[in-house]
Amino acid sequence: MDEIKEKLVDILKDVTGLDNVGADPDEDLFKDGILDSMATVEVLVTLQDTFGITVPVSEFDRSQWSTVNKIAQRVQELE
Amino acid sequence: MHNITPYSSPHYFIYLLLLLLPIIIGLWFGKRFKVYDFFATVVILITAFFGGNMSQGISLIAYVIFEMITVFGYLSYRKKHNSFWIFSLFVFLAIIPLIFVKLDPLIKNPTISLFAFMGISYLTFKSVEIIMEMRDGVIKEIKPFEFMRFLLFFPTITSGPIDRFRRFQKDVLNVPSREEYVELLHSGVNKLMQGLLYKFIIGYFFGTLLLPKVTILAMSYRNQAPLGLSWYVLAYMYVYSMYLFFDFAGYSLFAVAISNFMGVKTPMNFNAPFKSKNIKDFWNRWHMTLSFWFRDFIYMRLTFTIIKHKWIKNRVAIANVSYFALFLIMGIWHGETWYYIVYGIFHALAMITNDAWLRFKRKHRKQIPSNKFTQAFAIFLTFNIVCFSFLIFSGFLDKLWFS
């Protein structure tokens, strides 16, 4: 789980260009405007490549994918 | 007898609430009466579509049968196979009736739009959503009855808000507890009152009282200003924008309120859009169920495909191409006139400019001030850009210049 989170934070930093993303793993990434639709898709595609999981766009429910902790949880379930 | 447009007059609510009474009493005692729900749906559909020569009603029936065949045809295909091209074909099939209706004014041949009835767009959005989610494998089973109930849910049938199938199912398969239902009734009554204020008082004031006056003034001064753009055109812009918001937000509040009375939490369409601090923020607050539909089923899918196949490398270019696709499709959907298309292009350009500004701001965070004044200015600027886009959308410039 910690490994997933580490990789995830790296992905988020790459996509958003912000250094402090993931400092608070419960921060709402959509509410604070950190992820827009474009960045979200980039994260989804990178997650697919990194973890070998498939996440269809309609699987992506904003309320279930809103924080680092929640995304990591979903990735672990799908792996 | 004529067709009765839902929520078009205050009287409508008296009959509607009488019709809803058994549903409300049922939910109060923790019951959903499927047969009565069906009966109420039939009553509303008859009053809305089968008045006069019944042509709308017949179109509606033909449309529903056609969409049923399409959706269930794809479902049975998808259980065994998953080709992108077959999927595209079925999406195309699902929008064919809408394409005919939209092309009708262009080719001036009214016989072709066999399918025309009020609300066809909103039913089509729902059908396409289901096909797309079937492809993604998140909708695996759906019964013909469930499809019909979702498609023909009468509080939202003519103009949305556009609900999503899985969200809708959660509500109709569940009976709210007494506390939850009291909460829903409470919020329903509030929204109904707010809707009455918006549509029949404020919307009426702007749309019925003011709008015709500024229209006449702007038209009569059109020879005295360059391009006909007198100050009255500016007045028209603000009056029309206010009318558009209060009329449609009022209608949407009715649709959500009536859904709430039926134990369904139909999503809201507006969230204080004139308080938006930029154009992106605006599309997260204005006609939300439509913009989120376009975001989820066009924008995100398109960017996903472009990134996955590496068609375009530059992420800014990907975002911009997708904005253009989204807003052009939105413009074309509104209708085949130059001003709807220009409206779409205008918003695509506004989004692209906004993104560029946000990137610039991120890089120069320290040099750019942010205080109460800049925030108020951002809201003011966004409001005016939005109102200008509504002036394009209104078609008034067409009248001003070409009539």
Side-chain angles (χ1 to χ4, degrees), chain B residues 98-115:
Chain B
L98 184 63
I99 292 174
F100 275 136
V101 172
K102 292 289 175 182
L103 283 181
D104 211 38
L106 204 66
I107 51 184
K108 297 185 171 63
N109 177 6
T111 50
I112 200 168
S113 63
L114 234 54
F115 285 113

Side-chain angles (χ1 to χ4, degrees), chain A residues 27-30 61-68 70-71:
Chain A
E27 179 182 28
D28 190 324
L29 298 167
F30 297 110
D61 174 343
R62 262 156 222 260
S63 60
Q64 285 176 26
W65 293 77
S66 56
T67 67
V68 168
K70 283 182 181 173
I71 301 173

